[in-house]
Amino acid sequence: IKGVSLRNTDNFSFELEYLPKNLQTLNLSECLWLTKESFNFFSKQCPYLEELILESVSHLSYTAWAQLVQFK
């Protein structure tokens, strides 16, 4: 699996820990459950992520956006 779309999903699930570590693309657009903690989770769970799609997530605070530096 190269990419996963969680676009417009309802909530965060710890089943996401089963995402493959080599995931390259992740779409989190329109996910109202996104927080700085979820960014922390994805940065650790998907260390090889090359593309993170974040359309329509204007609810995020500036501290959540600051977490993006964790992605390489």
Side-chain angles (χ1 to χ4, degrees):
I1 297 176
K2 286 187 169 186
V4 170
S5 177
L6 298 175
R7 183 181 194 108
N8 201 25
T9 53
D10 292 331
N11 57 19
F12 179 86
S13 169
F14 284 101
E15 291 180 12
L16 293 172
E17 69 185 39
Y18 298 110
L19 286 172
K21 295 278 188 198
N22 61 346
L23 197 66
Q24 295 175 359
T25 302
L26 180 60
N27 185 344
L28 297 174
S29 298
E30 301 175 24
C31 292
L32 297 178
W33 50 265
L34 276 178
T35 63
K36 68 179 181 176
E37 290 79 15
S38 53
F39 281 144
N40 287 336
F41 171 84
F42 286 115
S43 69
K44 292 176 182 147
Q45 184 63 32
C46 307
Y48 302 104
L49 203 60
E50 295 177 7
E51 182 179 21
L52 180 61
I53 304 167
L54 298 169
E55 296 174 9
S56 300
V57 289
S58 59
H59 68 281
L60 291 172
S61 69
Y62 70 93
T63 57
W65 286 108
Q67 297 300 315
L68 291 176
V69 299
Q70 296 181 55
F71 293 93
K72 297 178 180 181

